[in-house]
Amino acid sequence: MARILTGLALAGGGARGIAHIGVLKTLHERGVTVDRLAGTSAGAIVAAMYASRPDPHWIESHFRKFLASEEFLRLGTQRLAQRYERDSDGGVFSRRLKDHMVVNLSLLRQYIIPRELLRDALAFLVPAQTFAELEIPLMVCAADLNAGEAVVYEEGDLINALCNSASIPGVLEAEIDDASVLADGGVFLPVPVAPLRSKVDFVIASEVNQRRLPKLEQLSVYSLMMRAEHLTQITLAHLQASAADFVFYPEVKALHWSQFGAFDELLASGIYESLLRIDPLQRRLARARSPVRRWLHGVRTRLAGTA
């Protein structure tokens, strides 16, 4: 029976991307071959680690080392997580103060975390420096905020591509030149299924966006803006994930992108979701190998390419 080419799309989500490691562990242990990867933001980082060294157990171990490293501490995401947790329980005064600070910071600064700190962190996490060094082909998705379009990297400087893909606007320093403002790929491709479509026969996605948001209790400028942005992002991610042939949805609750302290919980969630649904995936893959289905897939791909 002919083997089909399988792609894996890993969604962005900051710390929630840890759940991808659990999904990869199950796919690896059950013999599901990944022929090509696409990733956005945190998903791109996990995908690059796997493409560099296709061993999910190493990825888990190395990520744990990273969370205890100076490179991680210098990023300061643990302070953002602490503020998020405090603000979740804060009163009216704290929210008004935060609104005031957000407005003032937005007028004075472009970012909170300098790019070189992110680059140092990525150099720690990812063994490869260029796309040419990877064992599995990888597509890294970023966004050009000037041109208003997605940017997909497949060659050249891998660490720079990952920096652009993971640079959350306003939080991490974007790459800026005369023509482009390159930032987090989640702006356009939170779940990068589309770039894989013309490259593989079957697309698996792992989607880790928040799906259960807490009720808005204390309304403020900041909380209303963030809720509207979250809902837009959730809707876009759902639409893009639905274009995959199979989707894993690890439970990430309402965890913030900066809450890396939930490593064990997120890893377990990825393992649980993928173990629960690995048998249906393997049945779908077996059906996709049939000659008739492969012919139909080829027709649909050609039609999509001429649309």
Side-chain angles (χ1 to χ4, degrees), residues 264-299:
D264 290 325
E265 179 183 354
L266 287 162
L267 178 69
S269 178
I271 293 171
Y272 178 79
E273 164 70 3
S274 51
L275 284 175
L276 193 67
R277 306 191 62 228
I278 189 66
D279 289 336
L281 169 61
Q282 292 190 304
R283 288 195 293 270
R284 289 284 302 276
L285 284 168
R287 290 199 299 271
R289 293 187 186 103
S290 76
V292 173
R293 285 181 179 272
R294 295 197 70 186
W295 177 79
L296 287 172
H297 172 80
V299 171

PDB file of all heavy atoms in Angstrom, residues 264-299:
ATOM      1  N   ASP A 264       3.826  20.749  33.107  1.00  0.00           N
ATOM      2  CA  ASP A 264       3.377  19.361  33.294  1.00  0.00           C
ATOM      3  C   ASP A 264       1.908  19.190  32.909  1.00  0.00           C
ATOM      4  O   ASP A 264       1.534  18.197  32.277  1.00  0.00           O
ATOM      5  CB  ASP A 264       3.594  18.921  34.741  1.00  0.00           C
ATOM      6  CG  ASP A 264       5.067  18.753  35.086  1.00  0.00           C
ATOM      7  OD1 ASP A 264       5.833  18.323  34.206  1.00  0.00           O
ATOM      8  OD2 ASP A 264       5.452  19.070  36.220  1.00  0.00           O
ATOM      9  N   GLU A 265       1.086  20.156  33.283  1.00  0.00           N
ATOM     10  CA  GLU A 265      -0.340  20.094  32.962  1.00  0.00           C
ATOM     11  C   GLU A 265      -0.563  20.134  31.454  1.00  0.00           C
ATOM     12  O   GLU A 265      -1.375  19.367  30.907  1.00  0.00           O
ATOM     13  CB  GLU A 265      -1.058  21.269  33.633  1.00  0.00           C
ATOM     14  CG  GLU A 265      -2.549  21.333  33.355  1.00  0.00           C
ATOM     15  CD  GLU A 265      -3.210  22.552  33.982  1.00  0.00           C
ATOM     16  OE1 GLU A 265      -2.530  23.283  34.732  1.00  0.00           O
ATOM     17  OE2 GLU A 265      -4.408  22.771  33.720  1.00  0.00           O
ATOM     18  N   LEU A 266       0.158  21.003  30.769  1.00  0.00           N
ATOM     19  CA  LEU A 266      -0.015  21.140  29.325  1.00  0.00           C
ATOM     20  C   LEU A 266       0.535  19.926  28.582  1.00  0.00           C
ATOM     21  O   LEU A 266      -0.082  19.445  27.624  1.00  0.00           O
ATOM     22  CB  LEU A 266       0.678  22.416  28.854  1.00  0.00           C
ATOM     23  CG  LEU A 266      -0.048  23.701  29.247  1.00  0.00           C
ATOM     24  CD1 LEU A 266       0.890  24.907  29.155  1.00  0.00           C
ATOM     25  CD2 LEU A 266      -1.279  23.913  28.368  1.00  0.00           C
ATOM     26  N   LEU A 267       1.671  19.416  29.021  1.00  0.00           N
ATOM     27  CA  LEU A 267       2.228  18.208  28.400  1.00  0.00           C
ATOM     28  C   LEU A 267       1.259  17.044  28.553  1.00  0.00           C
ATOM     29  O   LEU A 267       0.977  16.319  27.587  1.00  0.00           O
ATOM     30  CB  LEU A 267       3.566  17.871  29.048  1.00  0.00           C
ATOM     31  CG  LEU A 267       4.256  16.600  28.533  1.00  0.00           C
ATOM     32  CD1 LEU A 267       4.733  16.776  27.107  1.00  0.00           C
ATOM     33  CD2 LEU A 267       5.443  16.228  29.441  1.00  0.00           C
ATOM     34  N   ALA A 268       0.720  16.873  29.762  1.00  0.00           N
ATOM     35  CA  ALA A 268      -0.226  15.780  30.022  1.00  0.00           C
ATOM     36  C   ALA A 268      -1.484  15.937  29.168  1.00  0.00           C
ATOM     37  O   ALA A 268      -2.052  14.944  28.691  1.00  0.00           O
ATOM     38  CB  ALA A 268      -0.589  15.746  31.504  1.00  0.00           C
ATOM     39  N   SER A 269      -1.913  17.180  28.958  1.00  0.00           N
ATOM     40  CA  SER A 269      -3.107  17.422  28.155  1.00  0.00           C
ATOM     41  C   SER A 269      -2.877  17.005  26.708  1.00  0.00           C
ATOM     42  O   SER A 269      -3.750  16.393  26.073  1.00  0.00           O
ATOM     43  CB  SER A 269      -3.490  18.908  28.210  1.00  0.00           C
ATOM     44  OG  SER A 269      -4.617  19.156  27.410  1.00  0.00           O
ATOM     45  N   GLY A 270      -1.690  17.320  26.166  1.00  0.00           N
ATOM     46  CA  GLY A 270      -1.377  16.905  24.806  1.00  0.00           C
ATOM     47  C   GLY A 270      -1.308  15.399  24.666  1.00  0.00           C
ATOM     48  O   GLY A 270      -1.782  14.826  23.673  1.00  0.00           O
ATOM     49  N   ILE A 271      -0.734  14.739  25.662  1.00  0.00           N
ATOM     50  CA  ILE A 271      -0.661  13.274  25.635  1.00  0.00           C
ATOM     51  C   ILE A 271      -2.056  12.667  25.732  1.00  0.00           C
ATOM     52  O   ILE A 271      -2.410  11.751  24.976  1.00  0.00           O
ATOM     53  CB  ILE A 271       0.232  12.762  26.784  1.00  0.00           C
ATOM     54  CG1 ILE A 271       1.689  13.186  26.564  1.00  0.00           C
ATOM     55  CG2 ILE A 271       0.127  11.240  26.923  1.00  0.00           C
ATOM     56  CD1 ILE A 271       2.609  12.906  27.742  1.00  0.00           C
ATOM     57  N   TYR A 272      -2.865  13.183  26.654  1.00  0.00           N
ATOM     58  CA  TYR A 272      -4.215  12.637  26.865  1.00  0.00           C
ATOM     59  C   TYR A 272      -5.064  12.774  25.601  1.00  0.00           C
ATOM     60  O   TYR A 272      -5.700  11.806  25.154  1.00  0.00           O
ATOM     61  CB  TYR A 272      -4.883  13.365  28.023  1.00  0.00           C
ATOM     62  CG  TYR A 272      -6.308  12.912  28.286  1.00  0.00           C
ATOM     63  CD1 TYR A 272      -6.561  11.743  28.984  1.00  0.00           C
ATOM     64  CD2 TYR A 272      -7.385  13.645  27.801  1.00  0.00           C
ATOM     65  CE1 TYR A 272      -7.856  11.312  29.213  1.00  0.00           C
ATOM     66  CE2 TYR A 272      -8.689  13.224  28.016  1.00  0.00           C
ATOM     67  CZ  TYR A 272      -8.920  12.056  28.726  1.00  0.00           C
ATOM     68  OH  TYR A 272     -10.213  11.632  28.934  1.00  0.00           O
ATOM     69  N   GLU A 273      -5.083  13.968  25.014  1.00  0.00           N
ATOM     70  CA  GLU A 273      -5.898  14.200  23.818  1.00  0.00           C
ATOM     71  C   GLU A 273      -5.442  13.320  22.658  1.00  0.00           C
ATOM     72  O   GLU A 273      -6.270  12.735  21.948  1.00  0.00           O
ATOM     73  CB  GLU A 273      -5.819  15.678  23.428  1.00  0.00           C
ATOM     74  CG  GLU A 273      -6.273  16.024  22.018  1.00  0.00           C
ATOM     75  CD  GLU A 273      -7.765  15.890  21.769  1.00  0.00           C
ATOM     76  OE1 GLU A 273      -8.495  15.563  22.734  1.00  0.00           O
ATOM     77  OE2 GLU A 273      -8.201  16.110  20.627  1.00  0.00           O
ATOM     78  N   SER A 274      -4.141  13.203  22.465  1.00  0.00           N
ATOM     79  CA  SER A 274      -3.653  12.423  21.328  1.00  0.00           C
ATOM     80  C   SER A 274      -3.835  10.918  21.539  1.00  0.00           C
ATOM     81  O   SER A 274      -4.153  10.196  20.586  1.00  0.00           O
ATOM     82  CB  SER A 274      -2.185  12.749  21.044  1.00  0.00           C
ATOM     83  OG  SER A 274      -1.393  12.650  22.204  1.00  0.00           O
ATOM     84  N   LEU A 275      -3.670  10.421  22.766  1.00  0.00           N
ATOM     85  CA  LEU A 275      -3.934   9.003  23.029  1.00  0.00           C
ATOM     86  C   LEU A 275      -5.411   8.678  22.837  1.00  0.00           C
ATOM     87  O   LEU A 275      -5.775   7.611  22.343  1.00  0.00           O
ATOM     88  CB  LEU A 275      -3.502   8.638  24.455  1.00  0.00           C
ATOM     89  CG  LEU A 275      -2.004   8.469  24.697  1.00  0.00           C
ATOM     90  CD1 LEU A 275      -1.738   8.236  26.179  1.00  0.00           C
ATOM     91  CD2 LEU A 275      -1.432   7.315  23.868  1.00  0.00           C
ATOM     92  N   LEU A 276      -6.259   9.624  23.223  1.00  0.00           N
ATOM     93  CA  LEU A 276      -7.700   9.429  23.100  1.00  0.00           C
ATOM     94  C   LEU A 276      -8.122   9.302  21.636  1.00  0.00           C
ATOM     95  O   LEU A 276      -9.058   8.562  21.319  1.00  0.00           O
ATOM     96  CB  LEU A 276      -8.416  10.610  23.752  1.00  0.00           C
ATOM     97  CG  LEU A 276      -9.913  10.492  24.007  1.00  0.00           C
ATOM     98  CD1 LEU A 276     -10.196   9.427  25.062  1.00  0.00           C
ATOM     99  CD2 LEU A 276     -10.477  11.843  24.454  1.00  0.00           C
ATOM    100  N   ARG A 277      -7.393   9.988  20.733  1.00  0.00           N
ATOM    101  CA  ARG A 277      -7.862  10.088  19.354  1.00  0.00           C
ATOM    102  C   ARG A 277      -6.876   9.524  18.335  1.00  0.00           C
ATOM    103  O   ARG A 277      -7.079   9.691  17.132  1.00  0.00           O
ATOM    104  CB  ARG A 277      -8.176  11.557  19.039  1.00  0.00           C
ATOM    105  CG  ARG A 277      -9.158  12.159  20.045  1.00  0.00           C
ATOM    106  CD  ARG A 277      -9.681  13.510  19.606  1.00  0.00           C
ATOM    107  NE  ARG A 277     -10.407  13.408  18.366  1.00  0.00           N
ATOM    108  CZ  ARG A 277     -10.221  14.222  17.323  1.00  0.00           C
ATOM    109  NH1 ARG A 277      -9.323  15.177  17.386  1.00  0.00           N
ATOM    110  NH2 ARG A 277     -10.926  14.072  16.228  1.00  0.00           N
ATOM    111  N   ILE A 278      -5.842   8.834  18.795  1.00  0.00           N
ATOM    112  CA  ILE A 278      -4.860   8.301  17.859  1.00  0.00           C
ATOM    113  C   ILE A 278      -5.435   7.185  16.989  1.00  0.00           C
ATOM    114  O   ILE A 278      -5.115   7.073  15.794  1.00  0.00           O
ATOM    115  CB  ILE A 278      -3.581   7.810  18.588  1.00  0.00           C
ATOM    116  CG1 ILE A 278      -2.483   7.450  17.586  1.00  0.00           C
ATOM    117  CG2 ILE A 278      -3.896   6.636  19.512  1.00  0.00           C
ATOM    118  CD1 ILE A 278      -1.950   8.621  16.806  1.00  0.00           C
ATOM    119  N   ASP A 279      -6.319   6.357  17.537  1.00  0.00           N
ATOM    120  CA  ASP A 279      -6.901   5.283  16.736  1.00  0.00           C
ATOM    121  C   ASP A 279      -7.763   5.826  15.598  1.00  0.00           C
ATOM    122  O   ASP A 279      -7.622   5.370  14.449  1.00  0.00           O
ATOM    123  CB  ASP A 279      -7.697   4.323  17.619  1.00  0.00           C
ATOM    124  CG  ASP A 279      -6.793   3.470  18.503  1.00  0.00           C
ATOM    125  OD1 ASP A 279      -5.621   3.286  18.135  1.00  0.00           O
ATOM    126  OD2 ASP A 279      -7.259   3.005  19.555  1.00  0.00           O
ATOM    127  N   PRO A 280      -8.659   6.803  15.841  1.00  0.00           N
ATOM    128  CA  PRO A 280      -9.390   7.407  14.719  1.00  0.00           C
ATOM    129  C   PRO A 280      -8.466   8.029  13.678  1.00  0.00           C
ATOM    130  O   PRO A 280      -8.729   7.940  12.476  1.00  0.00           O
ATOM    131  CB  PRO A 280     -10.256   8.470  15.392  1.00  0.00           C
ATOM    132  CG  PRO A 280     -10.456   7.980  16.778  1.00  0.00           C
ATOM    133  CD  PRO A 280      -9.174   7.281  17.137  1.00  0.00           C
ATOM    134  N   LEU A 281      -7.369   8.645  14.124  1.00  0.00           N
ATOM    135  CA  LEU A 281      -6.422   9.223  13.165  1.00  0.00           C
ATOM    136  C   LEU A 281      -5.823   8.137  12.291  1.00  0.00           C
ATOM    137  O   LEU A 281      -5.748   8.284  11.053  1.00  0.00           O
ATOM    138  CB  LEU A 281      -5.303   9.963  13.896  1.00  0.00           C
ATOM    139  CG  LEU A 281      -4.102  10.377  13.014  1.00  0.00           C
ATOM    140  CD1 LEU A 281      -4.532  11.332  11.906  1.00  0.00           C
ATOM    141  CD2 LEU A 281      -2.989  10.976  13.854  1.00  0.00           C
ATOM    142  N   GLN A 282      -5.398   7.041  12.891  1.00  0.00           N
ATOM    143  CA  GLN A 282      -4.757   5.990  12.098  1.00  0.00           C
ATOM    144  C   GLN A 282      -5.747   5.331  11.136  1.00  0.00           C
ATOM    145  O   GLN A 282      -5.353   4.933  10.036  1.00  0.00           O
ATOM    146  CB  GLN A 282      -4.091   4.978  13.027  1.00  0.00           C
ATOM    147  CG  GLN A 282      -2.900   5.590  13.769  1.00  0.00           C
ATOM    148  CD  GLN A 282      -2.056   4.593  14.509  1.00  0.00           C
ATOM    149  OE1 GLN A 282      -2.559   3.844  15.342  1.00  0.00           O
ATOM    150  NE2 GLN A 282      -0.761   4.576  14.253  1.00  0.00           N
ATOM    151  N   ARG A 283      -7.021   5.259  11.528  1.00  0.00           N
ATOM    152  CA  ARG A 283      -8.035   4.753  10.585  1.00  0.00           C
ATOM    153  C   ARG A 283      -8.199   5.717   9.410  1.00  0.00           C
ATOM    154  O   ARG A 283      -8.325   5.296   8.263  1.00  0.00           O
ATOM    155  CB  ARG A 283      -9.362   4.535  11.308  1.00  0.00           C
ATOM    156  CG  ARG A 283      -9.358   3.327  12.242  1.00  0.00           C
ATOM    157  CD  ARG A 283     -10.762   2.939  12.652  1.00  0.00           C
ATOM    158  NE  ARG A 283     -11.395   3.954  13.484  1.00  0.00           N
ATOM    159  CZ  ARG A 283     -11.319   3.979  14.824  1.00  0.00           C
ATOM    160  NH1 ARG A 283     -10.625   3.052  15.465  1.00  0.00           N
ATOM    161  NH2 ARG A 283     -11.939   4.916  15.521  1.00  0.00           N
ATOM    162  N   ARG A 284      -8.196   7.025   9.695  1.00  0.00           N
ATOM    163  CA  ARG A 284      -8.318   8.026   8.630  1.00  0.00           C
ATOM    164  C   ARG A 284      -7.118   7.955   7.691  1.00  0.00           C
ATOM    165  O   ARG A 284      -7.264   8.071   6.465  1.00  0.00           O
ATOM    166  CB  ARG A 284      -8.416   9.424   9.238  1.00  0.00           C
ATOM    167  CG  ARG A 284      -9.717   9.730   9.951  1.00  0.00           C
ATOM    168  CD  ARG A 284     -10.851  10.001   8.960  1.00  0.00           C
ATOM    169  NE  ARG A 284     -10.515  11.112   8.080  1.00  0.00           N
ATOM    170  CZ  ARG A 284     -10.698  12.398   8.391  1.00  0.00           C
ATOM    171  NH1 ARG A 284     -11.191  12.724   9.590  1.00  0.00           N
ATOM    172  NH2 ARG A 284     -10.390  13.343   7.540  1.00  0.00           N
ATOM    173  N   LEU A 285      -5.930   7.770   8.257  1.00  0.00           N
ATOM    174  CA  LEU A 285      -4.734   7.657   7.431  1.00  0.00           C
ATOM    175  C   LEU A 285      -4.792   6.422   6.549  1.00  0.00           C
ATOM    176  O   LEU A 285      -4.397   6.455   5.372  1.00  0.00           O
ATOM    177  CB  LEU A 285      -3.488   7.620   8.321  1.00  0.00           C
ATOM    178  CG  LEU A 285      -3.048   8.951   8.923  1.00  0.00           C
ATOM    179  CD1 LEU A 285      -2.001   8.732  10.008  1.00  0.00           C
ATOM    180  CD2 LEU A 285      -2.501   9.891   7.855  1.00  0.00           C
ATOM    181  N   ALA A 286      -5.293   5.312   7.093  1.00  0.00           N
ATOM    182  CA  ALA A 286      -5.406   4.079   6.309  1.00  0.00           C
ATOM    183  C   ALA A 286      -6.373   4.263   5.144  1.00  0.00           C
ATOM    184  O   ALA A 286      -6.105   3.817   4.015  1.00  0.00           O
ATOM    185  CB  ALA A 286      -5.868   2.931   7.209  1.00  0.00           C
ATOM    186  N   ARG A 287      -7.504   4.940   5.402  1.00  0.00           N
ATOM    187  CA  ARG A 287      -8.467   5.192   4.322  1.00  0.00           C
ATOM    188  C   ARG A 287      -7.878   6.123   3.265  1.00  0.00           C
ATOM    189  O   ARG A 287      -8.138   5.978   2.076  1.00  0.00           O
ATOM    190  CB  ARG A 287      -9.754   5.786   4.879  1.00  0.00           C
ATOM    191  CG  ARG A 287     -10.595   4.812   5.693  1.00  0.00           C
ATOM    192  CD  ARG A 287     -12.026   5.294   5.824  1.00  0.00           C
ATOM    193  NE  ARG A 287     -12.118   6.579   6.507  1.00  0.00           N
ATOM    194  CZ  ARG A 287     -12.241   6.718   7.818  1.00  0.00           C
ATOM    195  NH1 ARG A 287     -12.259   5.638   8.601  1.00  0.00           N
ATOM    196  NH2 ARG A 287     -12.343   7.908   8.368  1.00  0.00           N
ATOM    197  N   ALA A 288      -7.084   7.088   3.715  1.00  0.00           N
ATOM    198  CA  ALA A 288      -6.503   8.061   2.787  1.00  0.00           C
ATOM    199  C   ALA A 288      -5.504   7.428   1.829  1.00  0.00           C
ATOM    200  O   ALA A 288      -5.184   8.000   0.791  1.00  0.00           O
ATOM    201  CB  ALA A 288      -5.822   9.183   3.569  1.00  0.00           C
ATOM    202  N   ARG A 289      -5.011   6.227   2.182  1.00  0.00           N
ATOM    203  CA  ARG A 289      -4.029   5.552   1.326  1.00  0.00           C
ATOM    204  C   ARG A 289      -4.684   4.866   0.123  1.00  0.00           C
ATOM    205  O   ARG A 289      -3.977   4.439  -0.796  1.00  0.00           O
ATOM    206  CB  ARG A 289      -3.245   4.507   2.117  1.00  0.00           C
ATOM    207  CG  ARG A 289      -2.345   5.096   3.194  1.00  0.00           C
ATOM    208  CD  ARG A 289      -1.477   4.038   3.831  1.00  0.00           C
ATOM    209  NE  ARG A 289      -0.735   4.577   4.947  1.00  0.00           N
ATOM    210  CZ  ARG A 289      -1.054   4.382   6.227  1.00  0.00           C
ATOM    211  NH1 ARG A 289      -2.094   3.621   6.529  1.00  0.00           N
ATOM    212  NH2 ARG A 289      -0.334   4.919   7.189  1.00  0.00           N
ATOM    213  N   SER A 290      -6.001   4.721   0.098  1.00  0.00           N
ATOM    214  CA  SER A 290      -6.664   4.017  -1.002  1.00  0.00           C
ATOM    215  C   SER A 290      -6.443   4.780  -2.301  1.00  0.00           C
ATOM    216  O   SER A 290      -6.448   6.012  -2.319  1.00  0.00           O
ATOM    217  CB  SER A 290      -8.153   3.863  -0.723  1.00  0.00           C
ATOM    218  OG  SER A 290      -8.824   5.085  -0.931  1.00  0.00           O
ATOM    219  N   PRO A 291      -6.237   4.070  -3.426  1.00  0.00           N
ATOM    220  CA  PRO A 291      -5.960   4.735  -4.709  1.00  0.00           C
ATOM    221  C   PRO A 291      -7.044   5.736  -5.114  1.00  0.00           C
ATOM    222  O   PRO A 291      -6.731   6.806  -5.638  1.00  0.00           O
ATOM    223  CB  PRO A 291      -5.891   3.562  -5.698  1.00  0.00           C
ATOM    224  CG  PRO A 291      -5.507   2.388  -4.860  1.00  0.00           C
ATOM    225  CD  PRO A 291      -6.171   2.609  -3.530  1.00  0.00           C
ATOM    226  N   VAL A 292      -8.314   5.387  -4.890  1.00  0.00           N
ATOM    227  CA  VAL A 292      -9.406   6.283  -5.289  1.00  0.00           C
ATOM    228  C   VAL A 292      -9.355   7.574  -4.492  1.00  0.00           C
ATOM    229  O   VAL A 292      -9.482   8.686  -5.037  1.00  0.00           O
ATOM    230  CB  VAL A 292     -10.781   5.598  -5.106  1.00  0.00           C
ATOM    231  CG1 VAL A 292     -11.913   6.600  -5.348  1.00  0.00           C
ATOM    232  CG2 VAL A 292     -10.897   4.417  -6.059  1.00  0.00           C
ATOM    233  N   ARG A 293      -9.160   7.461  -3.189  1.00  0.00           N
ATOM    234  CA  ARG A 293      -9.092   8.658  -2.352  1.00  0.00           C
ATOM    235  C   ARG A 293      -7.885   9.517  -2.704  1.00  0.00           C
ATOM    236  O   ARG A 293      -7.966  10.742  -2.686  1.00  0.00           O
ATOM    237  CB  ARG A 293      -9.059   8.261  -0.868  1.00  0.00           C
ATOM    238  CG  ARG A 293     -10.418   7.796  -0.350  1.00  0.00           C
ATOM    239  CD  ARG A 293     -10.351   7.438   1.128  1.00  0.00           C
ATOM    240  NE  ARG A 293     -11.648   7.023   1.621  1.00  0.00           N
ATOM    241  CZ  ARG A 293     -12.566   7.836   2.111  1.00  0.00           C
ATOM    242  NH1 ARG A 293     -12.330   9.128   2.167  1.00  0.00           N
ATOM    243  NH2 ARG A 293     -13.725   7.368   2.542  1.00  0.00           N
ATOM    244  N   ARG A 294      -6.766   8.889  -3.030  1.00  0.00           N
ATOM    245  CA  ARG A 294      -5.595   9.671  -3.405  1.00  0.00           C
ATOM    246  C   ARG A 294      -5.839  10.403  -4.721  1.00  0.00           C
ATOM    247  O   ARG A 294      -5.410  11.549  -4.905  1.00  0.00           O
ATOM    248  CB  ARG A 294      -4.360   8.761  -3.518  1.00  0.00           C
ATOM    249  CG  ARG A 294      -3.950   8.135  -2.187  1.00  0.00           C
ATOM    250  CD  ARG A 294      -2.543   7.615  -2.236  1.00  0.00           C
ATOM    251  NE  ARG A 294      -1.598   8.736  -2.304  1.00  0.00           N
ATOM    252  CZ  ARG A 294      -0.288   8.571  -2.480  1.00  0.00           C
ATOM    253  NH1 ARG A 294       0.220   7.375  -2.626  1.00  0.00           N
ATOM    254  NH2 ARG A 294       0.509   9.602  -2.514  1.00  0.00           N
ATOM    255  N   TRP A 295      -6.548   9.758  -5.661  1.00  0.00           N
ATOM    256  CA  TRP A 295      -6.867  10.415  -6.930  1.00  0.00           C
ATOM    257  C   TRP A 295      -7.787  11.609  -6.698  1.00  0.00           C
ATOM    258  O   TRP A 295      -7.569  12.693  -7.250  1.00  0.00           O
ATOM    259  CB  TRP A 295      -7.537   9.409  -7.871  1.00  0.00           C
ATOM    260  CG  TRP A 295      -7.953  10.023  -9.181  1.00  0.00           C
ATOM    261  CD1 TRP A 295      -7.155  10.297 -10.253  1.00  0.00           C
ATOM    262  CD2 TRP A 295      -9.268  10.454  -9.524  1.00  0.00           C
ATOM    263  NE1 TRP A 295      -7.896  10.876 -11.251  1.00  0.00           N
ATOM    264  CE2 TRP A 295      -9.196  10.990 -10.830  1.00  0.00           C
ATOM    265  CE3 TRP A 295     -10.491  10.435  -8.863  1.00  0.00           C
ATOM    266  CZ2 TRP A 295     -10.309  11.506 -11.486  1.00  0.00           C
ATOM    267  CZ3 TRP A 295     -11.600  10.954  -9.506  1.00  0.00           C
ATOM    268  CH2 TRP A 295     -11.509  11.483 -10.804  1.00  0.00           C
ATOM    269  N   LEU A 296      -8.811  11.413  -5.847  1.00  0.00           N
ATOM    270  CA  LEU A 296      -9.730  12.512  -5.537  1.00  0.00           C
ATOM    271  C   LEU A 296      -9.008  13.662  -4.857  1.00  0.00           C
ATOM    272  O   LEU A 296      -9.274  14.839  -5.130  1.00  0.00           O
ATOM    273  CB  LEU A 296     -10.870  12.007  -4.648  1.00  0.00           C
ATOM    274  CG  LEU A 296     -11.915  11.123  -5.339  1.00  0.00           C
ATOM    275  CD1 LEU A 296     -12.869  10.528  -4.299  1.00  0.00           C
ATOM    276  CD2 LEU A 296     -12.694  11.922  -6.372  1.00  0.00           C
ATOM    277  N   HIS A 297      -8.072  13.317  -3.961  1.00  0.00           N
ATOM    278  CA  HIS A 297      -7.302  14.360  -3.274  1.00  0.00           C
ATOM    279  C   HIS A 297      -6.482  15.156  -4.286  1.00  0.00           C
ATOM    280  O   HIS A 297      -6.403  16.392  -4.214  1.00  0.00           O
ATOM    281  CB  HIS A 297      -6.374  13.729  -2.246  1.00  0.00           C
ATOM    282  CG  HIS A 297      -5.419  14.713  -1.636  1.00  0.00           C
ATOM    283  ND1 HIS A 297      -5.768  15.569  -0.622  1.00  0.00           N
ATOM    284  CD2 HIS A 297      -4.111  15.000  -1.924  1.00  0.00           C
ATOM    285  CE1 HIS A 297      -4.746  16.331  -0.312  1.00  0.00           C
ATOM    286  NE2 HIS A 297      -3.727  16.008  -1.086  1.00  0.00           N
ATOM    287  N   GLY A 298      -5.899  14.444  -5.280  1.00  0.00           N
ATOM    288  CA  GLY A 298      -5.118  15.136  -6.288  1.00  0.00           C
ATOM    289  C   GLY A 298      -5.954  16.086  -7.113  1.00  0.00           C
ATOM    290  O   GLY A 298      -5.536  17.197  -7.443  1.00  0.00           O
ATOM    291  N   VAL A 299      -7.169  15.649  -7.452  1.00  0.00           N
ATOM    292  CA  VAL A 299      -8.090  16.508  -8.217  1.00  0.00           C
ATOM    293  C   VAL A 299      -8.437  17.757  -7.418  1.00  0.00           C
ATOM    294  O   VAL A 299      -8.401  18.877  -7.941  1.00  0.00           O
ATOM    295  CB  VAL A 299      -9.367  15.733  -8.589  1.00  0.00           C
ATOM    296  CG1 VAL A 299     -10.412  16.690  -9.187  1.00  0.00           C
ATOM    297  CG2 VAL A 299      -9.032  14.619  -9.578  1.00  0.00           C
TER     298      VAL A 299
END
